[in-house]
Amino acid sequence: MAAMKPRTGDGPLEVTKEGRGIVLRVPLEGGGRLVVEMSADEAKGLYSELSKVAA
């Protein structure tokens, strides 16, 4: 098993298509990342909900 290395800095928000899914990596305050895998339909739903609250 590889050693866990602490992240330095926030880094960018990343979205990649991996296989059939879409992977969202969100940098967290204090280091680390939240990683969420979703389908294309779930990503469209997330976009729809976020666009309602983002100006």
Side-chain angles (χ1 to χ4, degrees):
M1 178 188 276
M4 297 286 289
K5 296 181 183 176
R7 286 193 175 268
T8 55
D10 292 333
L13 173 77
E14 297 175 13
V15 180
T16 57
K17 184 169 171 74
E18 295 182 10
R20 293 177 149 184
I22 296 171
V23 178
L24 170 67
R25 292 177 180 88
V26 181
L28 299 175
E29 189 173 320
R33 291 183 178 258
L34 171 66
V35 179
V36 179
E37 184 172 358
M38 63 189 89
S39 68
D41 288 337
E42 291 168 327
K44 289 175 188 173
L46 177 61
Y47 173 80
S48 174
E49 293 303 313
L50 288 174
S51 65
K52 293 176 186 176
V53 295

